[in-house]
Amino acid sequence: MIGAESAQQISPIKSALDMGIHVTSHTDAPVALPNLMMILWTTINRVSRNGTIMGESERLSPYEALKTITIWAAWQHFEENQKGSLKPGKLADLVILDKNPLKVEPMTIKDIQVMETIKEGETVFKR
Protein backbone atom coordinates (compact mmCIF):
# COMPACT_ATOMS: atom_id res chain seq x y z
CA MET A 1 0.00 0.00 0.00
CA ILE A 2 1.27 3.46 -0.87
CA GLY A 3 1.64 5.87 2.03
CA ALA A 4 0.39 9.45 1.91
CA GLU A 5 3.90 10.85 1.34
CA SER A 6 4.59 8.47 -1.57
CA ALA A 7 1.15 9.10 -3.07
CA GLN A 8 1.87 12.82 -3.36
CA GLN A 9 5.09 12.04 -5.19
CA ILE A 10 3.15 10.00 -7.77
CA SER A 11 1.54 13.05 -9.33
CA PRO A 12 2.08 16.48 -7.75
CA ILE A 13 -0.41 18.05 -10.16
CA LYS A 14 -1.71 20.80 -7.84
CA SER A 15 1.83 21.73 -6.80
CA ALA A 16 2.81 22.10 -10.46
CA LEU A 17 -0.30 24.19 -11.15
CA ASP A 18 0.47 26.41 -8.16
CA MET A 19 3.94 27.04 -9.66
CA GLY A 20 2.30 28.31 -12.87
CA ILE A 21 2.81 25.17 -14.94
CA HIS A 22 0.02 24.20 -17.36
CA VAL A 23 -0.89 20.64 -16.40
CA THR A 24 -2.87 18.18 -18.50
CA SER A 25 -4.81 15.00 -17.78
CA HIS A 26 -5.10 12.25 -20.33
CA THR A 27 -5.37 8.53 -20.91
CA ASP A 28 -3.02 6.00 -22.40
CA ALA A 29 -5.56 4.96 -25.06
CA PRO A 30 -5.75 2.33 -26.39
CA VAL A 31 -4.22 0.78 -23.23
CA ALA A 32 -6.86 2.49 -21.05
CA LEU A 33 -10.24 3.46 -22.41
CA PRO A 34 -10.58 7.20 -23.13
CA ASN A 35 -13.28 8.00 -20.57
CA LEU A 36 -12.70 11.69 -19.89
CA MET A 37 -15.34 11.84 -17.17
CA MET A 38 -13.38 9.18 -15.25
CA ILE A 39 -10.18 11.13 -15.87
CA LEU A 40 -11.86 14.26 -14.48
CA TRP A 41 -13.14 12.29 -11.49
CA THR A 42 -9.65 10.95 -10.80
CA THR A 43 -7.97 14.35 -11.16
CA ILE A 44 -10.51 15.95 -8.81
CA ASN A 45 -10.90 13.20 -6.20
CA ARG A 46 -7.60 11.28 -6.39
CA VAL A 47 -9.20 8.13 -5.02
CA SER A 48 -7.75 4.72 -5.87
CA ARG A 49 -9.84 1.65 -6.75
CA ASN A 50 -9.65 0.51 -3.14
CA GLY A 51 -10.81 3.91 -1.84
CA THR A 52 -7.44 5.30 -0.74
CA ILE A 53 -7.00 9.03 -1.28
CA MET A 54 -3.78 9.50 -3.23
CA GLY A 55 -2.34 12.87 -2.22
CA GLU A 56 -5.31 14.87 -0.99
CA SER A 57 -3.38 18.15 -1.21
CA GLU A 58 -2.85 17.53 -4.95
CA ARG A 59 -6.57 17.47 -5.82
CA LEU A 60 -7.73 19.95 -8.45
CA SER A 61 -11.02 21.81 -8.44
CA PRO A 62 -13.55 20.74 -11.09
CA TYR A 63 -12.81 23.96 -13.00
CA GLU A 64 -9.06 23.36 -12.95
CA ALA A 65 -9.57 19.72 -13.97
CA LEU A 66 -11.72 20.76 -16.96
CA LYS A 67 -8.90 23.04 -18.09
CA THR A 68 -6.47 20.07 -18.01
CA ILE A 69 -8.47 18.34 -20.76
CA THR A 70 -9.42 21.42 -22.79
CA ILE A 71 -7.48 24.69 -22.85
CA TRP A 72 -4.21 23.39 -21.41
CA ALA A 73 -4.31 20.16 -23.45
CA ALA A 74 -4.64 22.20 -26.65
CA TRP A 75 -1.75 24.40 -25.49
CA GLN A 76 0.41 21.33 -24.80
CA HIS A 77 -0.08 20.21 -28.42
CA PHE A 78 0.48 23.72 -29.85
CA GLU A 79 -3.18 23.78 -30.96
CA GLU A 80 -4.50 26.54 -28.70
CA ASN A 81 -5.37 28.69 -31.74
CA GLN A 82 -7.63 25.95 -33.14
CA LYS A 83 -8.91 24.01 -30.09
CA GLY A 84 -9.39 24.01 -26.35
CA SER A 85 -12.02 26.71 -26.00
CA LEU A 86 -15.06 27.95 -27.87
CA LYS A 87 -14.21 31.13 -29.73
CA PRO A 88 -14.91 32.44 -33.24
CA GLY A 89 -12.50 30.91 -35.72
CA LYS A 90 -11.74 27.80 -33.65
CA LEU A 91 -12.95 24.27 -34.39
CA ALA A 92 -16.30 23.58 -32.77
CA ASP A 93 -15.17 20.45 -30.90
CA LEU A 94 -17.31 19.93 -27.80
CA VAL A 95 -19.49 17.58 -25.82
CA ILE A 96 -22.91 18.10 -24.31
CA LEU A 97 -23.18 16.48 -20.88
CA ASP A 98 -26.25 15.44 -18.91
CA LYS A 99 -24.97 17.26 -15.81
CA ASN A 100 -22.66 20.19 -15.13
CA PRO A 101 -19.37 18.91 -13.61
CA LEU A 102 -18.93 22.29 -11.91
CA LYS A 103 -22.17 21.92 -9.97
CA VAL A 104 -22.43 18.25 -8.97
CA GLU A 105 -20.91 16.47 -5.99
CA PRO A 106 -17.31 15.71 -7.09
CA MET A 107 -17.63 11.98 -6.31
CA THR A 108 -20.47 11.73 -8.88
CA ILE A 109 -18.53 13.25 -11.79
CA LYS A 110 -17.59 9.79 -13.13
CA ASP A 111 -21.31 9.09 -13.62
CA ILE A 112 -21.93 12.08 -15.92
CA GLN A 113 -23.01 10.94 -19.38
CA VAL A 114 -21.96 12.42 -22.71
CA MET A 115 -25.19 13.14 -24.55
CA GLU A 116 -23.66 14.46 -27.77
CA THR A 117 -20.20 14.91 -29.27
CA ILE A 118 -19.64 17.62 -31.88
CA LYS A 119 -16.44 17.63 -33.96
CA GLU A 120 -15.66 20.58 -36.22
CA GLY A 121 -19.28 21.67 -35.93
CA GLU A 122 -20.79 18.30 -36.90
CA THR A 123 -22.48 15.82 -34.56
CA VAL A 124 -20.48 12.59 -34.52
CA PHE A 125 -22.21 10.95 -31.54
CA LYS A 126 -25.65 11.33 -30.03
CA ARG A 127 -27.05 9.30 -27.16
Side-chain angles (χ1 to χ4, degrees):
M1 187 165 155
I2 296 174
E5 294 161 29
S6 297
Q8 289 184 5
Q9 293 173 359
I10 290 172
S11 178
I13 194 166
K14 181 68 171 168
S15 296
L17 182 61
D18 290 345
M19 291 188 307
I21 298 170
H22 287 136
V23 295
T24 60
S25 297
H26 55 85
T27 179
D28 290 334
V31 175
L33 295 175
N35 179 343
L36 288 180
M37 297 318 297
M38 186 57 129
I39 291 170
L40 278 179
W41 181 87
T42 302
T43 304
I44 294 163
N45 295 295
R46 296 183 60 95
V47 176
S48 71
R49 289 182 184 150
N50 72 2
T52 302
I53 296 173
M54 306 288 285
E56 185 172 5
S57 65
E58 296 299 327
R59 290 173 164 168
L60 296 188
S61 72
Y63 182 71
E64 291 166 334
L66 282 169
K67 290 174 96 173
T68 71
I69 63 170
T70 57
I71 295 167
W72 296 335
W75 175 84
Q76 182 181 42
H77 291 276
F78 305 101
E79 297 178 330
E80 66 271 21
N81 293 326
Q82 297 90 20
K83 299 178 181 179
S85 61
L86 295 175
K87 293 185 178 175
K90 289 189 174 188
L91 300 173
D93 293 350
L94 63 113
V95 294
I96 298 171
L97 306 173
D98 71 338
K99 294 179 183 70
N100 183 342
L102 300 175
K103 297 190 180 214
V104 299
E105 167 61 39
M107 289 299 285
T108 67
I109 287 174
K110 66 181 171 24
D111 302 319
I112 294 174
Q113 296 290 308
V114 174
M115 302 307 291
E116 187 171 354
T117 302
I118 300 170
K119 175 105 173 116
E120 296 181 18
E122 301 291 326
T123 297
V124 295
F125 169 80
K126 192 163 189 157
R127 187 169 303 276

